Amino acid sequence: MKKVLLLCMAVISFISTSSCSDDDNSNNGGGNNNSAGFTWRENDPNGAVNQAAAATFNTQSNTLIATAADGTTLFEINLSGSAAAAYTLSSSGANMFTYTGENPFFVAEGGTVTITSNANNKISGTYEAFRTGNGLTRLYGTFTDVPVN
């Protein structure tokens, strides 16, 4: 009887320590996603949230790259600096924003990238980019704790 009771306690202990936790960083679509990574919304600041598979920030070129699961570049954001500040976007110059998920590519004519933090080898911030025309004309998003290298 003691062996059965001991076995039951071991099983319950195992189940309770290996169950799901509330720190799941996955994005099930929609809602705010405050986890690490790179997110965007198309045309509507309250629209469905999309998330890149990976993102990195290169300090030598001040470039933020967000990629799809297959490694292809989705976003390339070139900035004139990496300090916490607001960077005004244009279609030419030091602060440029390109989204390759559109054909032809979405090249921002204006907008702002705001770096809110660049510390401990991680960079965070927000962006709003726009262009004129039909279809996709605005992108809104965040980058949170993106690795800096």
Side-chain angles (χ1 to χ4, degrees), residues 40 51-55 65-75 100:
W40 77 95
Q51 186 159 7
I65 300 284
T67 59
D70 65 2
T72 59
T73 298
L74 290 172
F75 289 86
T100 65

Side-chain angles (χ1 to χ4, degrees), residues 55-102:
T56 59
F57 185 86
N58 182 295
T59 55
Q60 286 188 318
S61 59
N62 292 323
T63 301
L64 178 63
I65 300 284
T67 59
D70 65 2
T72 59
T73 298
L74 290 172
F75 289 86
E76 181 174 332
I77 304 172
N78 298 298
L79 300 173
S80 59
S82 61
Y87 298 88
T88 301
L89 299 171
S90 67
S91 58
S92 63
N95 301 314
M96 294 183 64
F97 182 106
T98 304
Y99 171 51
T100 65
E102 280 287 296

